[in-house]
């Protein structure tokens, strides 16, 4: 109960900061919009000639775009924590009886709320292009985004506590997550790739999240693929939350 109460307090403080300066919410949405308007039309001809698209490029591309937004939208939130460390915000929180886990979960809760808001806007903007949505597809993609966003936000906060430097964190994240994005099949399905690349991609946990998101927008929904993607995302989130919580506890003890 105390963790929930303290997490809510941290969430309110973090959300207040975001609402006072919402420019980053808009900036975070710009890259997916660019992909939707400038890259989506390119895929139409690919969709017409490839059975992997089922004739509709946006039912395949937009779900992957949502996963990409969860990945890159949340994995860079640690920069804000580095700034708070530099300005002594975390140091002042150390003298309070607040739960250390709450300091992590409250911030991650704000990141997930922003992610779901951005995702809802992107889905609405994609409907005129031909994206088909159902209540089931929205529910499944929401669960996936929450799990991915929670895992990536906690990972980012844990790395921020370890590195405490934007100069070290930025190149590290780009070096790790750019190949992860390319090997997940977010931009193009891996079924179009050569066999060796498909084999490498299947070792990438985000490949299963992308496949689950795409199946969620198909009718009927493929149960095994969706459940597998959710299970992988949940396991990834559990690992990163546990590691980040321990890092937070040691750093703010």
């Amino acid at each position: 109960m105390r963790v929930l109460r303290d997490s809510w307090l941290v969430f309110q403080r973090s959300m207040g900061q975001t609402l006072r300066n919402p420019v980053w919410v808009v900036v975070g949405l710009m890259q997916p919009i660019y992909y939707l308007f400038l890259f989506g039309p390119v895929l139409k001809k690919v969709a017409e000639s490839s059975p992997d698209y089922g004739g509709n490029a946006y039912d395949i591309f937009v779900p992957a775009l949502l996963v990409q937004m969860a990945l890159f939208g949340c994995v860079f939130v640690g920069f804000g924590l580095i700034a708070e460390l530099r300005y002594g915000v975390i140091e002042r929180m150390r003298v309070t009886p607040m739960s250390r886990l709450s300091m992590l979960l409250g911030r991650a809760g704000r990141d997930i709320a922003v992610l779901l808001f951005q995702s809802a806007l992107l889905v609405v903007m994609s409907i005129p292009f031909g994206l088909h949505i159902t209540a089931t597809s929205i529910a499944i993609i929401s669960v996936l985004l929450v799990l991915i966003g929670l895992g990536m936000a906690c990972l980012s906060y844990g790395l921020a506590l370890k590195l405490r430097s934007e100069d070290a964190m930025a190149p590290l994240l780009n070096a790790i997550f750019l190949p992860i994005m390319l090997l997940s099949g977010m931009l193009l399905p891996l079924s179009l790739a050569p066999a060796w690349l498909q084999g490498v991609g299947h070792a990438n946990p985000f490949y299963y999240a992308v496949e689950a998101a795409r199946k969620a927008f198909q009718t009927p929904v493929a149960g095994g693929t969706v459940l597998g993607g959710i299970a992988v995302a949940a396991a990834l989130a559990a690992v990163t939350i546990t590691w980040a919580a321990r890092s937070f506890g040691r750093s703010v003890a």
Side-chain angles (χ1 to χ4, degrees):
M1 183 60 75
R2 179 187 166 190
V3 171
L4 292 177
R5 184 199 62 191
D6 291 348
S7 298
W8 176 245
L9 291 174
V10 176
F11 171 81
Q12 285 181 306
R13 175 185 173 276
S14 301
M15 184 56 76
Q17 291 177 317
T18 301
L19 294 178
R20 282 193 294 275
N21 187 14
V23 62
W24 292 111
V25 178
V26 178
V27 170
L29 192 56
M30 292 311 297
Q31 188 184 56
I33 290 176
Y34 290 150
Y35 274 112
L36 177 67
F37 281 86
L38 304 180
F39 191 71
V42 178
L43 295 177
K44 279 189 171 181
K45 289 190 175 180
V46 179
E48 291 171 358
S49 58
S50 172
D52 297 302
Y53 279 90
N56 189 341
Y58 291 95
D59 285 348
I60 294 293
F61 183 54
V62 175
L65 207 52
L66 293 170
V67 175
Q68 183 194 22
M69 192 162 63
L71 175 62
F72 283 95
C74 292
V75 83
F76 287 97
V77 296
F79 289 103
L81 183 61
I82 293 176
E84 288 187 321
L85 286 165
R86 182 174 299 120
Y87 291 122
V89 175
I90 303 300
E91 188 69 21
R92 289 194 291 274
M93 284 186 170
R94 290 178 60 183
V95 301
T96 70
M98 179 176 290
S99 161
R100 283 15 181 178
L101 177 61
S102 301
M103 296 182 190
L104 172 68
L105 296 181
R107 286 174 172 81
R110 182 273 312 272
D111 303 327
I112 291 170
V114 171
L115 170 64
L116 291 178
F117 174 73
Q118 293 172 323
S119 301
L121 289 180
L122 187 64
V123 167
V124 170
M125 284 189 283
S126 302
I127 292 174
F129 287 89
L131 176 69
H132 300 101
I133 64 170
T134 63
T136 303
S137 63
I138 294 300
I140 292 172
I141 196 67
S142 298
V143 171
L144 271 172
L145 293 179
V146 167
L147 291 172
I148 295 170
L150 188 60
M152 292 302 98
C154 290
L155 174 65
S156 185
Y157 288 132
L159 287 173
L161 289 170
K162 293 287 184 185
L163 300 173
R164 298 179 179 241
S165 166
E166 294 92 341
D167 294 337
M169 191 163 170
L172 177 66
L173 291 178
N174 280 319
I176 293 174
F177 284 96
L178 182 58
I180 284 178
M181 181 192 75
L182 295 174
L183 290 172
S184 68
M186 289 180 187
L187 299 180
L188 291 169
L190 279 185
S191 56
L192 301 175
W196 69 268
L197 201 55
Q198 292 184 35
V200 176
H202 288 173
N204 179 1
F206 287 94
Y207 163 78
Y208 301 97
V210 170
E211 288 297 302
R214 285 175 172 152
K215 290 297 182 185
F217 281 80
Q218 294 178 357
T219 304
V221 174
T225 303
V226 170
L227 291 177
I230 290 175
V232 170
L236 193 62
V239 170
T240 57
I241 291 170
T242 302
W243 174 72
R246 289 178 179 175
S247 299
F248 227 99
R250 286 194 292 268
S251 300
V252 194

